[in-house]
């Protein structure tokens, strides 16, 4: 995520200590927490899946998701919309191909 990967936030507003974090690590951690519940769900154990999703939301990824979303919002807020960004045509073509091939695969 380059120059926007590292950001800072207040982890606990009642104990205001500024914490540094990385968006890439936080997104990976959130995905791991959600995947744990998804494994239970795919095995047919909905109650266990819901328990893990709730537990991990309260203990971990809920706060991370909020902080990461706020950091991303700040990136968008500070972006200058009047600046021409060159489009990487090759990257767009690869992304389009991934989207098209992913649409054919079942969940």
């Amino acid at each position: 995520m380059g120059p926007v990967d590292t950001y800072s936030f207040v982890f606990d507003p009642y104990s205001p200590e500024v914490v540094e974090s990385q968006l890439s690590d936080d997104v990976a951690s959130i995905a791991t927490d959600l995947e744990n519940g998804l494994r239970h769900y795919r095995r047919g154990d909905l109650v266990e899946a819901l328990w893990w999703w709730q537990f991990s939301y309260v203990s971990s990824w809920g706060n991370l998701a909020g902080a990461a979303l706020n950091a991303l919002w700040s990136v968008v807020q500070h972006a200058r919309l009047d600046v021409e960004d060159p489009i990487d045509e090759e990257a767009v073509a690869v992304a389009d191909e991934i989207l098209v091939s992913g649409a054919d695969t079942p969940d």
Side-chain angles (χ1 to χ4, degrees):
M1 299 192 130
V4 298
D5 194 30
T6 300
Y7 70 101
S8 58
F9 69 102
V10 175
F11 184 76
D12 182 355
Y14 294 104
S15 176
E17 176 185 339
V18 176
V19 177
E20 261 194 12
S21 194
Q22 280 71 41
L23 280 170
S24 55
D25 289 345
D26 292 349
V27 170
S29 180
I30 292 165
T32 300
D33 285 343
L34 293 173
E35 196 272 333
N36 189 26
L38 190 58
R39 275 185 284 143
H40 292 288
Y41 177 78
R42 287 182 175 153
R43 289 185 198 140
D45 195 349
L46 178 61
V47 172
E48 188 73 8
L50 290 172
W51 186 89
W52 275 106
W53 284 325
Q54 180 184 22
F55 171 76
S56 62
Y57 173 78
V58 171
S59 65
S60 174
W61 73 264
N63 195 24
L64 286 179
L69 183 61
N70 196 30
L72 290 171
W73 176 81
S74 182
V75 169
V76 171
Q77 178 190 21
H78 293 296
R80 291 185 45 188
L81 298 178
D82 59 346
V83 174
E84 289 282 331
D85 284 331
I87 295 176
D88 184 350
E89 296 292 339
E90 184 179 338
V92 171
V94 169
D96 284 342
E97 189 171 325
I98 291 170
L99 288 172
V100 169
S101 68
D104 296 335
T105 57
D107 289 338

